[in-house]
């Protein structure tokens, strides 16, 4: 039996670095190649030695597919392709290809900023890696080789995020990456064909949650920023260069306009221009509203958001600053945080998750006294009293439990496989899903093997389909299988269901008529013609609407059934009814009824 | 251990033991273990340093309802704690060890299901197995069987850990005479009774494992294949590192099974099987030469697996029926670098056969006998996916093949280069049939065209062949093929179907071949013209990847030394193309163009030639890029351009013809320093500081106190001696903007910038600012620099502790012209030396030299984080919505 094997090297029962190996129809595919930001050593990358063995990755892998630009999905890519060594194709959507290097550079900077970092990729490696990327368009089937094809679908998680349908022969797998089933301010909802994959590999970050509407979170965010600004405070929003930052910029921009606010909004490190450039460039990947209003006004041309200079941090009065990096590791965001932390009026809003070992992690857990390294003073360490307000607001766009079920209904998979979630939460969702489908949740390093049905493809002739339609059948519906009659012929290694006439023609055979006969004894004292006439009248009365003829040659015809009467030689009262019909099922009931 | 950590640890243990669930951050427990491992490796006793750990372990293991993550952590921690005999003893006294590693108990509790728990069990035991007592405990507890079962665990990670652990047991506790062993050797010599027991335990472990290897190596059915695979991996590990007695024992145990496996010829086992045989071979004949006689004497001759038997196994492996397996086995053999002539020759023939078939080149000489299994190989190559995979393996090995001794080679190495070129032609469709490419009678068996069809257009084969071709440039006699190499590469560069990576690799190959064959007289004029045209075309390609590779190629080309003949592409051709590329829409291409221009102009800078009009235009365009380009890569490249120019110019003697060029360079340097140090990109700033360093080097390299080790020197012990002119030199660098760049870098928020600036300022201070006042000092002290009233200037002023009154005082130093404008925004002048001595540079340097996250990635910080995270998550006021959800980034 054919098998599909799925082995997560990352994202198996965790939300760490996604890296899933799929083996389908003899092809090996790597889905995502993420890194874990919580580690500074080898553990941050997936352990590729499990797949390289003695050979090179290029020999083993047929392709790599990256679902979106978040580092836990693409952060290990330059390491894999340039340091471990992979020359094969890497697929990602156009926006992901454009944005990925920005985030990789952003992260490289953080890494170089820390001392003693080894085994890390350079700018040149990022570029060389990106040169190997083949961009994907939505809904376009890309032939990786003669047998393997892939097709991308909109995932709505971040700009350019895609789900991907992988097909080898008749076997197929869908990998969702991260996705969102409800449209937000700048992105639409995920959508996929009813492609009935053998396996649907779905993320399950919010497997147990029915999330409140994002609108509520947005209102809450704006309220908090507004309150802080009103009381003269400064608001720091640490972000990664791209993604959530743009979403929050749109929010603030429209709010500022609506409320006619004057406090300045800044975006640090000069990345905004490039980021917004991409959002403008890939406007077709945003939601309908943004696309519609694009002609009158591009949502990503911000009037209120200006580039930040480090000296602005000391300016008096309220302001909002977006600064990188997102977890307050180092750099600009940390420098501003240090300046503003001591004042109750100020606020820091953490719009995403922070790994242990960062200031972001500490303040989110409520630490109010932080040991800090001082460069400006003679003292090396000093204690920072965190008096500013700390808020956590998750704006991440993942499907919740309801959304995941919605996607399952859309795609109608034969098997489900959950990744990118916490084990306990996955277990809960698995229980729900298993009411309808087989569901797996492998841990990292565990292989799930799914046996697929050996499907035999059969072509059906158009004539046969037309005939079936003409007979009053409904349009073909894969949900409601029904019987179809035809002749199955095998020709040149392929199977074809055709009408018998066509089969004869194609196989060069002559048609032979088969007739079935039967004899029915009957006690009737009348003469043979009278008996036949009696039968004729009887049939005429019970089979209304059918063609019944009493022919001069002493036969009665009911449609194509021929009836004759003959007397027995021994007993003239015993008549024998001779019935003859060709093999046509539809008339068989007539015989019974008659 | 840090006293503060010691004080926090009991609290952390309490939290972990009580919570019954894992921590919100999945890395915390791993990092905690890292810390404990570090402490153990440093030689300390964990239980002495952290007595609370004993109670923690006891508490957690008694609670089977604990989170599997916490339990797994506890198992590993227990192993670390028991890694010393003392720790082991103390855990035994508390009867903890039996509880901790009691597999059945965990199975009953349903925890064994979790792979992270099984990993914890293995790793815990492995950490513990560092002394004989631990081995005794391990063997007496009958842990070998479960460990052997885990070798075929459903989780790759568990199975691999089990294999490593089995190898560890056998290798670590080898008897003393084995090279590299760590076992109970010393005590054994002392005649210690317990150690003798351990020795017996080791023997029993070896026996149990050997028995298992023998019984399970040959799979009884297909489903057991994985087990065989794992055993082979284990054997390869063991045979590569085992000392003679163990090595002999193992090999003797498995020799028959290995033979059986080789005969059975199971494709999936070919590579691991080859690994085992090669590992065994590498320790037999070859190693015997280096082992001393004492070790050799220990071998019981009758029990040894003779080398001939290994050699026979190897021969069988290089003679398996399945062609794909054969190729893989041969490749593995060559990769291991064996030098046995017979087998090398065989492996080479195997690897050349597919190329021989596809290309029709007589790689195997005229003597292609039936033993080459030519027909079965042809059949194999007719299947497309198998053909591509086999051809790629062969191609990857071609460079290695050409380096084997000539008596192992069936053909001259040049012919292999020709074959790779033929293959490249076939791939691109320019040579459709292999039979047509060679008239040799031995070539082109029937079915070749079917095979050729499989590689036509295959990007995988093209890339592989181009890589092989690049590596083959250093093969003996390869130079003879240079003309043909150029022709084929030109075809690839010109081919509209070539994908971006193929083009990139073609350029790389071209550069490599040029660098090994600087005499380009063989490159004909039509080829040169062809290249010029193709480059002109590719530099305008739709794909930025292709444009970038082309521009990079032009840069590399400029760096390749050429003798006798004109360069492949003249400056007249490349410079306009590169100038054009400065306008490219893709920043990567703009940056590559700038770097390529710098390489192109290297020669003219070194010669000190006068600047042409074109070069002057380029310079002004580059300055525009530095000030206006929205992306970092081109701006970084611009600064590097000026670094190259400045450093190369410095090395040449100045002449009158280059005076205008020198003055332009000075203007540019000033501009680059001011713009670069104010750039938003950290790498632009770092490069700007590199330029500043070159300027400092030039100004002060004659000064005896000018050392560039960057370390803070003890200034009281070695007062610098000042040469004449320090004052004017300092004034010069101030005037150029070097000091401003350094001071602005010093207060930068990015550590690499701050560190570089700080190092340079320390060097400068030590060179020019004397610790004690004298006449020279007084003169140098009059040199001042400007601190703007905003940004970095403001921060430096704050650090200097300058208030309004200070600023007024500084005015006198600056000759009264310090304050340009009134109010906060006014700039001031400060004495350079005074600033350098008052900025606390040495302390700063200490801070900057450390990792920027050393405070928050420390054990103390980790312990604090665990405590606060746990408090935050158990706090009654915590609302569900407030929970920090582990999320993507």
């Amino acid at each position: 039996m054919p098998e599909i094997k799925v082995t997560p090297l990352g994202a198996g029962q965790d939300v760490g670095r996604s890296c899933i190996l799929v083996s389908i129809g003899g092809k090996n595919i790597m889905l995502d190649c993420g890194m874990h930001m919580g580690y500074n050593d080898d553990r941050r990358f997936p352990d590729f030695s499990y797949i390289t063995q003695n050979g090179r990755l290029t020999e083993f892998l047929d392709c790599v597919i990256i679902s979106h630009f978040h580092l836990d999905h693409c952060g290990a890519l330059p390491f894999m392709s340039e340091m471990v060594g992979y020359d094969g194709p890497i697929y990602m959507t156009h926006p992901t290809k454009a944005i990925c290097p920005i985030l990789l550079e952003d992260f490289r900077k953080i890494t170089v900023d820390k001392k003693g970092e080894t085994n890390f990729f350079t700018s040149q490696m990022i570029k060389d890696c990106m040169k190997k990327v083949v961009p994907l368009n939505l809904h376009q089937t890309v032939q990786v080789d003669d047998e393997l094809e892939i097709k991308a679908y909109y995932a709505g998680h971040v700009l350019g995020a895609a789900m991907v349908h992988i097909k080898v022969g008749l076997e197929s797998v869908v990998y969702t990456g991260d996705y969102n089933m409800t449209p937000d301010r700048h992105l639409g909802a995920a959508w996929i064909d009813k492609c009935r994959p053998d396996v649907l590999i779905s993320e399950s970050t919010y497997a147990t949650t029915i999330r409140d509407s994002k609108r509520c979170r947005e209102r809450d965010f704006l309220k908090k920023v507004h309150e802080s600004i009103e009381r003269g405070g400064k608001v720091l929003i640490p972000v990664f260069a791209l993604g959530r930052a743009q979403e929050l910029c749109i929010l603030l921009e429209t709010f500022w306009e609506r409320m006619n606010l004057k406090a300045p909004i800044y975006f640090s490190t000069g990345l905004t221009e490039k980021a917004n450039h991409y959002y403008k460039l890939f406007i077709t990947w945003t939601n309908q509203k943004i696309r519609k209003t694009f002609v009158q006004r591009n949502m990503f041309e911000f009037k209120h958001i200006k580039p930040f200079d480090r000296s602005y941090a000391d300016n008096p009065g309220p302001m909002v600053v977006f600064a990188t990096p997102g977890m307050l590791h180092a750099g600009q965001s940390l420098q501003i945080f240090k300046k503003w932390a001591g004042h109750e009026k100020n606020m820091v809003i953490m719009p995403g998750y922070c790994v242990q070992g960062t200031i972001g992690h500490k303040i989110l857990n409520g630490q109010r006294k932080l040991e800090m390294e001082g460069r400006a003073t003679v003292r090396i360490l000093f204690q920072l009293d965190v008096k500013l307000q700390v808020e956590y607001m998750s704006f991440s766009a993942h499907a919740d439990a309801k959304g995941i079920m919605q996607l399952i209904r859309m795609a109608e998979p034969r098997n489900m496989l959950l990744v990118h979630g916490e084990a306990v939460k996955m277990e809960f969702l698995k229980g729900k899903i298993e009411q309808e489908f087989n569901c797996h949740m492998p841990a990292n390093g565990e292989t799930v093997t799914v046996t697929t049905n050996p499907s035999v493809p059969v072509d059906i002739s158009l004539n046969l389909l037309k005939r079936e339609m003409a007979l009053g059948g409904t349009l073909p519906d894969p949900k409601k299988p029904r019987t179809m009659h035809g002749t199955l012929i095998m020709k040149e290694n392929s199977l074809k269901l055709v009408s018998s006439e066509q089969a004869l023609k194609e196989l060069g055979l002559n048609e032979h008529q088969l007739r079935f006969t039967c004899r029915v004894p009957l006690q009737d004292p009348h003469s043979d013609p009278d008996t036949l006439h009696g039968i004729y009248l009887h049939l005429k009365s019970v089979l209304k609407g059918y063609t019944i003829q009493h022919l001069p040659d002493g036969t009665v015809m009911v449609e194509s059934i021929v009836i004759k009467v003959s007397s027995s030689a021994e007993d003239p009262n015993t008549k024998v009814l001779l019935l003859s019909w060709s093999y046509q099922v539809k008339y068989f009931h007539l015989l019974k009824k008659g | 251990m840090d006293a503060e950590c010691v004080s926090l640890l009991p609290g952390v243990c309490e939290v972990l033991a009580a919570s019954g669930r894992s921590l919100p951050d999945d890395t915390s427990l791993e990092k905690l273990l890292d810390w404990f491992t570090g402490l153990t490796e440093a030689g300390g006793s964990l239980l002495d340093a952290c007595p609370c750990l004993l109670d923690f372990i006891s508490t957690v293991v008694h609670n089977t309802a604990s989170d599997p993550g916490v339990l797994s952590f506890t198992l590993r921690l227990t192993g670390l704690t028991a890694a010393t005999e003392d720790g082991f003893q103390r855990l035994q006294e508390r009867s903890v060890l039996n509880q901790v590693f009691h597999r059945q108990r965990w199975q009953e509790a349903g925890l064994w299901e979790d792979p992270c728990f099984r990993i914890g069990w293995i790793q815990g035991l492995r950490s513990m197995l560092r002394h004989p007592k631990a081995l005794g405990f391990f063997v007496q507890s009958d842990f070998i069987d479960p460990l052997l079962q885990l070798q075929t665990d459903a989780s790759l990670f568990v199975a691999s850990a089990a294999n490593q652990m089995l190898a560890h047991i056998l290798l670590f506790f080898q008897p003393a005479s084995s090279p590299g062993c760590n076992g109970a050797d010393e005590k054994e010599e002392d005649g210690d009774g317990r150690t003798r027991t351990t020795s017996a335990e080791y023997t029993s472990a070896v026996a149990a494992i050997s028995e298992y290897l023998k019984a399970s190596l040959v799979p009884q059915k297909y489903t057991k294949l994985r087990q065989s695979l794992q055993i082979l991996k284990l054997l390869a590990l063991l045979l590569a590192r085992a000392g003679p007695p163990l090595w002999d024992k193992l090999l003797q145990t498995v020799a028959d099974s290995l033979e059986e496996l080789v005969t059975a010829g199971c494709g999936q086992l070919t590579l691991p099987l080859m690994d085992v045989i090669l590992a065994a071979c590498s320790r037999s004949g070859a190693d015997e030469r280096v082992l001393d006689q004492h070790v050799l004497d220990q071998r019981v001759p009758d029990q040894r697996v003779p080398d001939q038997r290994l050699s026979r196994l190897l021969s069988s492996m290089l003679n398996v029926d399945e062609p794909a397996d054969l190729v893989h086995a041969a490749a593995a053999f060559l990769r291991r670098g064996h030098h046995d002539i017979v087998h090398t020759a065989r492996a080479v023939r195997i690897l050349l056969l597919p190329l021989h078939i596809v290309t029709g080149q007589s790689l195997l000489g005229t003597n292609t006998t039936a033993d080459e299994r030519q027909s079965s190989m042809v059949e194999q190559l007719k299947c497309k996916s198998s053909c591509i995979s086999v051809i790629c393996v062969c191609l990857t090995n071609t460079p290695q093949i050409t380096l084997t001794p000539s008596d192992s080679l069936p053909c001259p190495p040049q012919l292999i280069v020709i074959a790779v070129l033929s293959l490249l032609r076939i791939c691109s469709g320019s040579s459709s049939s292999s039979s047509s490419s060679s008239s040799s009678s031995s070539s082109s068996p029937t079915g070749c065209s079917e095979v050729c069809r499989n590689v036509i257009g295959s990007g995988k084969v093209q890339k592989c062949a181009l890589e092989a071709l690049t590596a083959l440039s250093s093969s003996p006699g390869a130079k003879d093929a240079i003309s043909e190499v150029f022709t084929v590469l030109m075809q690839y560069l010109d081919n509209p179907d070539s994908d971006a990576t193929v083009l990139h690799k073609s350029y790389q190959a071209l550069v490599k071949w040029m660098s090994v064959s600087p005499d380009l007289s063989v490159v004909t004029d039509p080829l040169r013209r062809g290249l010029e045209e193709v480059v002109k075309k590719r530099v305008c390609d739709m794909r930025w990847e292709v444009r970038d590779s082309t521009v990079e190629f032009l840069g590399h080309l400029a760096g390749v030394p050429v003798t006798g003949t004109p360069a492949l592409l003249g400056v007249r051709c490349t410079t306009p193309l590169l100038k054009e590329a400065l306008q490219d829409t893709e920043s990567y291409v703009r940056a590559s163009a700038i770097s390529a221009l710098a390489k192109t102009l290297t020669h003219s800078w070194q010669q000190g030639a006068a600047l042409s009009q074109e070069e002057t235009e380029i310079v002004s365009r580059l300055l525009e890029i530095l000030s206006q380009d929205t992306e970092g890569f081109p701006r970084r490249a611009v600064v590097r351009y000026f670094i190259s120019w400045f450093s190369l110019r410095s090395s040449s003697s100045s002449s009158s013809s280059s005076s205008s060029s020198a003055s332009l360079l000075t203007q540019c340097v000033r501009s680059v320093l001011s713009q670069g140090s104010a750039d938003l990109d950290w790498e632009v700033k770092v490069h700007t500081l590199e330029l500043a360093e070159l300027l400092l080097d030039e100004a002060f390299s004659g000064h005896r106190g000018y050392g560039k080790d960057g370390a803070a020197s003890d200034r009281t012990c070695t007062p610098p001696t000042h040469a004449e002119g320090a004052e004017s030199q300092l004034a010069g660098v101030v005037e150029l903007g070097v000091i401003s760049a350094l001071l602005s870098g010093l207060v930068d928020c990015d550590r690499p910038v701050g560190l570089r600036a700080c190092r340079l300022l320390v060097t400068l201070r030590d060179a020019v600012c004397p610790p004690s006042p004298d006449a020279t000092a007084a003169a140098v002290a009059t040199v001042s620099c400007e601190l703007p009233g905003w940004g970095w200037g403001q921060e430096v002023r704050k650090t200097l502790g300058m208030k309004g009154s200070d600023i007024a005082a500084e005015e006198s130093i600056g000759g009264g012209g310090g304050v340009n404008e009134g109010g906060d925004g006014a700039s001031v002048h400060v004495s350079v030396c005074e600033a350098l001595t008052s900025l606390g540079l040495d302390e700063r340097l200490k801070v900057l030299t450390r990792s920027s996250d050393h405070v928050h990635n420390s054990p103390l910080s980790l312990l604090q984080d665990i405590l606060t995270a746990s408090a935050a998550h158990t706090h009654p006021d915590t609302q569900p919505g407030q929970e920090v959800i582990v999320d993507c980034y």
Side-chain angles (χ1 to χ4, degrees), chain B residues 623 626 642 663-677 688 691 695 732-738 741:
Chain B
L623 290 176
L626 183 62
F642 287 105
S663 105
L664 178 64
L665 179 59
T666 312
Q667 280 175 38
C668 291
V669 162
R670 192 177 287 121
S671 179
V672 171
L673 285 174
S674 99
Q675 285 179 27
S677 57
T688 306
L691 182 61
L695 289 157
V733 292
V734 169
E735 201 269 327
L736 273 173
V738 174

Side-chain angles (χ1 to χ4, degrees), chain A residues 336-406:
Chain A
I336 300 171
F337 174 78
K338 283 188 204 170
K339 279 180 193 281
W340 294 358
H343 300 280
E344 297 89 345
K345 278 197 291 187
N346 299 339
M347 181 192 282
V348 60
I349 299 181
M350 306 297 299
Y353 175 66
C354 298
V355 294
Q356 194 278 328
T358 60
I359 299 281
H361 180 84
K362 285 179 183 293
I363 59 170
L364 281 181
N365 281 318
Q367 286 191 48
R368 305 305 278 183
K369 286 194 187 304
L370 299 174
E371 200 82 356
M372 286 291 194
E373 180 189 66
R375 288 185 203 159
T377 57
V378 177
R379 277 182 305 154
I380 291 174
L381 289 177
F382 68 97
Q383 199 163 53
L384 182 73
D385 276 330
V386 180
K387 291 182 184 158
L388 90 177
Q389 203 179 327
V390 179
E391 294 290 341
Y392 168 72
M393 300 201 140
S394 169
F395 285 94
S396 62
H398 294 277
D400 60 9
K402 215 166 107 188
I404 296 171
M405 295 308 288
Q406 211 179 324

Side-chain angles (χ1 to χ4, degrees), chain B residues 785-789 793 797 802 806-808 810-811 814 817-820 825-830:
Chain B
C785 64
E786 189 183 0
L787 296 183
R797 280 152 74 169
M802 290 168 76
D806 298 328
I807 295 168
E810 296 294 342
E811 279 176 46
V819 181
N820 297 334
S827 61
V828 296
H829 277 84
V830 291

